[in-house]
Amino acid sequence: MRLSRGGYLIREGFRSITTHSFMSFASVTIIMACLIIMGSVSLLSVNIDALIKDLENQNEIVAFVDDSISDEDEARALESAVAAVENVSSVEFVTRDEAMDNFMSNYDDELMEGIDETVFRHRFIIHLTDIALMAQTKANLEAVTGIAKVKAHIEYANTFVTIRNIVSIVSLVLIVMLVFVSVFIMSNTIKLATFGRREEIAIMKMVGANNGFIRLPFVVEGLVLGMLGGGLAFVAEWGIYELLTGKLMGTLTGSFITVVPFSSVALTVLAFYMGTGILVGVFGGVNAIRNYLKV
Amino acid sequence: MVRMTDVTKVYESSGTVALDGVDLSINEGEFVFLVGPSGSGKTTIMKLITGEIHASSGSITVNDFDMMRIKRRKLPKMRRTLGVIFQDYRLIENMSVYDNVAFAMRVVGASGKEISRRVPYVLELVGLEGREKRLPGELSGGEQQRVAIARALVNSPRMIVADEPTGNLDPVRSLELMLLFEKINEMGTTILVVTHEKELVNAFSKRVITIDGGHVISDGMDGYYSYEIE
Ligand SMILES: Nc1ncnc2c1ncn2[C@@H]1O[C@H](COP(=O)(O)OP(=O)(O)OP(=O)(O)O)[C@@H](O)[C@H]1O
Ligand SMILES: [Mg+2]
């Protein structure tokens, strides 16, 4: 394609956006609205997921060192063997003194009168990568020589795993449904937006325009509108997110709930919005005029 | 150039037999009027020539293209050899007069330089100088018609087909338009004009083809409109 013609086609795409400004506005608004709804559901599920992960991490495994190893350095030396067990994400060594102090601080001094530190054992506080594999990991840890006993709340872990599975399935189903609904709404809006162009396209065909020539301005137009819709949806989503999480944090100060900061997902959200916006804009536009080209 | 041999057109939707065994031949450089009563099949012939519709049977050749066998993607190439003028102008409403004409050149891949040289020339030829920036809605019916003519002329087509181009013009404007067609014809372009206007046809001594009920009922060089309007 010649450059002068390329320039014309791009100009033509922009011209039709401004001359059909109401329909352009409608398309951008619908794309925006659909993206924001989809994005909000996704972000909610990301947050629930993060929250559950957070709670999971508080569910730690304690591996007690065998009584026969009373020397602190000897016990500490087991750390590398513990850390080497599959699915272990972090290991923290706690001496029997520390364990006792920790325990005592939680209870009445009087009650603990006369308790000797030897009652406590050296131990490792362990966090897992995937708590769904807790039972297996517990067995593997018990197999490490020098480890006497492992305490793990497997039933809690299973509950968390179930909740997380339900949340991800529900949000996946919701997002898939929203994608279908959005694509349907968006393609119909674009069809409506191009309906008035039928005549124009028929005229172009009559003077001998080939389909590519007619389609290209629509591609440019769809690209620009899609990017505009995606970009605006991103900015709006950001604002809504900050506003809502700000309110939430204000009322829940000091609670265990933390929200995922927008900055950590911003790039993904932007890429998804832009990508979807452009895809829907371009394919929607080209698809909408397909029937008009058959003259 | 048009060759139609035993052409039949049945509109499937209504079962109407619009054309029934039409034989018709228009040579390069001819000026032909196509006349006939309403519903006789004139527009159907025009649409068969432009490839907007397909004949049910027979054979049609337009500017060396076999219209019975032409591929859809070859149609643009065929249409570029034609200049089509519609009764209702069919201008693009939100494009200026200049752009309405220029885009027909862009369609065929003309350079910006060619366009800026040719468009003003054609607009002047049809008497639209000074109206370049206006939108179609800001023009009189006659002026809009001339934009449509300029658009049909701009690529120097081999043949111009016009379906009732004078339908919305007063007699003086109609006569002016025919004189313009005659001028274009003298430059070598084949002209086919559908019209209802007896006086107009009879004012020129051109070939007249009369059609009625989907049949050609007369074809003569006497320039006489033989069909009587009721
Ligand atoms: N798209 C169509 N579907 C079905 N029937 C049609 C269609 N177009 C035209 N016809 C029928 O075909 C016949 C010929 O129509 P055509 O438009 O060719 O007439 P015409 O000579 O151009 O008439 P007019 O002078 O009124 O424009 C008419 O009976 C008409 O009703
Ligand atoms: Mg007609």
Side-chain angles (χ1 to χ4, degrees):
Chain A
M1 182 146 312
R2 285 182 223 172
L3 262 180
S4 63
R5 236 179 116 182
Y8 158 76
L9 291 169
I10 289 167
R11 245 188 313 121
E12 192 52 23
F14 277 97
R15 186 190 64 86
S16 72
I17 290 173
T18 48
T19 48
H20 304 96
S21 53
F22 176 72
M23 278 308 181
S24 304
F25 171 77
S27 309
V28 169
T29 310
I30 293 291
I31 290 176
M32 242 180 94
C34 291
L35 284 177
I36 288 171
I37 293 169
M38 269 194 283
S40 300
V41 170
S42 307
L43 285 176
L44 184 66
S45 113
V46 163
N47 267 294
I48 292 174
D49 203 57
L51 183 68
I52 293 172
K53 278 227 177 78
D54 211 40
L55 291 172
E56 278 174 14
N57 278 334
Q58 290 168 19
N59 185 6
E60 51 198 26
I61 291 185
V62 184
F64 297 99
V65 176
D66 200 294
D67 268 335
S68 62
I69 304 170
S70 62
D71 181 63
E72 196 184 309
D73 290 335
E74 212 178 312
R76 193 189 291 274
L78 290 171
E79 186 169 330
S80 58
V82 171
V85 171
E86 213 180 314
N87 194 31
V88 168
S89 73
S90 74
V91 184
E92 188 198 346
F93 180 66
V94 178
T95 64
R96 54 165 54 138
D97 294 359
E98 285 163 353
M100 190 174 79
D101 288 349
N102 207 349
F103 186 80
M104 300 291 264
S105 65
N106 285 330
Y107 295 91
D108 226 337
D109 280 351
E110 278 168 51
L111 199 73
M112 299 296 135
E113 207 73 53
I115 287 184
D116 188 300
E117 85 219 22
T118 54
V119 172
F120 292 90
R121 285 179 281 189
H122 296 302
R123 66 197 57 186
F124 294 98
I125 308 292
I126 296 162
H127 289 114
L128 302 186
T129 312
D130 181 1
I131 66 161
L133 305 171
M134 191 178 262
Q136 177 62 41
T137 311
K138 180 176 184 254
N140 290 344
L141 284 168
E142 279 166 344
V144 174
T145 41
I147 298 295
K149 194 183 145 202
V150 177
K151 194 178 83 191
H153 298 288
I154 292 174
E155 48 319 328
Y156 286 175
N158 289 341
T159 313
F160 278 128
V161 170
T162 314
I163 293 174
R164 214 166 71 183
N165 285 342
I166 291 172
V167 169
S168 33
I169 289 168
V170 167
S171 53
L172 193 74
V173 168
L174 218 60
I175 289 168
V176 168
M177 267 163 52
L178 279 171
V179 167
F180 275 107
V181 171
S182 302
V183 167
F184 179 77
I185 294 173
M186 286 188 272
S187 70
N188 274 300
T189 309
I190 294 170
K191 261 201 191 119
L192 211 66
T194 50
F195 188 75
R197 317 278 285 278
R198 226 196 156 99
E199 178 67 10
E200 194 175 321
I201 291 169
I203 295 169
M204 291 190 177
K205 290 290 289 199
M206 273 305 137
V207 289
N210 52 32
N211 291 350
F213 183 88
I214 295 170
R215 222 182 269 131
L216 255 154
F218 282 90
V219 170
V220 173
E221 187 178 345
L223 196 77
V224 172
L225 294 182
M227 271 165 62
L228 207 64
L232 288 175
F234 173 75
V235 172
E237 183 72 73
W238 193 349
I240 292 168
Y241 193 82
E242 292 295 349
L243 201 77
L244 286 183
T245 56
K247 276 235 165 72
L248 192 71
M249 293 314 277
T251 52
L252 293 174
T253 30
S255 89
F256 63 100
I257 290 183
T258 52
V259 291
V260 175
F262 192 77
S263 57
S264 72
V265 289
L267 220 64
T268 318
V269 173
L270 183 65
F272 174 74
Y273 278 17
M274 282 300 197
T276 314
I278 289 169
L279 223 71
V280 167
V282 171
F283 281 94
V286 169
N287 186 47
I289 63 164
R290 213 180 43 193
N291 286 332
Y292 308 159
L293 290 175
K294 293 181 188 156
V295 285
Chain B
M1 147 284 213
V2 178
R3 301 253 177 285
M4 290 193 177
T5 315
D6 200 18
V7 169
T8 299
K9 173 64 191 178
V10 181
Y11 284 106
E12 301 297 342
S13 58
S14 58
T16 311
V17 182
L19 296 179
D20 186 10
V22 168
D23 289 305
L24 192 157
S25 176
I26 298 167
N27 291 321
E28 211 73 40
E30 270 195 282
F31 190 128
V32 179
F33 284 116
L34 179 62
V35 301
S38 184
S40 57
K42 303 183 295 296
T43 298
T44 302
I45 288 180
M46 289 304 200
K47 285 181 174 171
L48 287 172
I49 292 172
T50 61
E52 220 176 312
I53 58 172
H54 231 77
S56 309
S57 67
S59 78
I60 306 173
T61 309
V62 178
N63 290 343
D64 305 322
F65 288 87
D66 180 351
M67 298 306 288
M68 300 306 284
R69 261 171 282 279
I70 192 164
K71 295 249 161 48
R72 193 178 277 281
R73 72 193 152 74
K74 284 270 188 232
L75 268 180
K77 202 170 165 224
M78 177 266 153
R79 283 174 180 160
R80 288 172 195 185
T81 68
L82 293 178
V84 186
I85 300 166
F86 307 93
Q87 179 173 359
D88 54 353
Y89 323 135
R90 297 178 82 175
L91 302 174
I92 297 177
E93 288 304 322
N94 51 46
M95 271 190 193
S96 69
V97 166
Y98 184 93
D99 283 331
N100 259 289
V101 179
F103 99 87
M105 285 188 80
R106 293 196 181 102
V107 158
V108 301
S111 72
K113 213 172 120 195
E114 288 172 277
I115 292 171
S116 54
R117 209 179 38 223
R118 175 82 177 155
V119 175
Y121 167 76
V122 175
L123 285 177
E124 201 194 319
L125 189 70
V126 299
L128 278 175
E129 59 273 39
R131 302 276 195 279
E132 293 85 351
K133 291 205 173 66
R134 299 236 199 132
L135 292 175
E138 300 163 353
L139 297 176
S140 74
E143 286 169 330
Q144 290 184 46
Q145 184 62 287
R146 280 182 273 159
V147 179
I149 293 159
R151 182 181 63 195
L153 287 178
V154 76
N155 288 325
S156 315
R158 281 171 66 180
M159 179 160 105
I160 286 187
V161 293
D163 194 355
E164 306 201 32
T166 57
N168 293 310
L169 302 184
D170 60 49
V172 178
R173 291 275 179 224
S174 300
L175 193 66
E176 274 179 16
L177 177 60
M178 287 307 148
L179 291 170
L180 179 62
F181 279 153
E182 202 170 35
K183 198 159 101 188
I184 297 158
N185 178 241
E186 279 160 13
M187 293 189 250
T189 308
T190 312
I191 309 264
L192 174 61
V193 180
V194 167
T195 184
H196 266 130
E197 289 172 64
K198 189 176 179 175
E199 291 77 15
L200 206 60
V201 173
N202 293 344
F204 293 81
S205 39
K206 303 287 182 195
R207 179 176 164 198
V208 181
I209 300 174
T210 311
I211 182 169
D212 194 2
H215 302 277
V216 175
I217 56 166
S218 79
D219 183 349
M221 293 301 298
D222 53 356
Y224 187 70
Y225 191 159
S226 56
Y227 177 77
E228 288 300 322
I229 299 170
E230 58 273 11

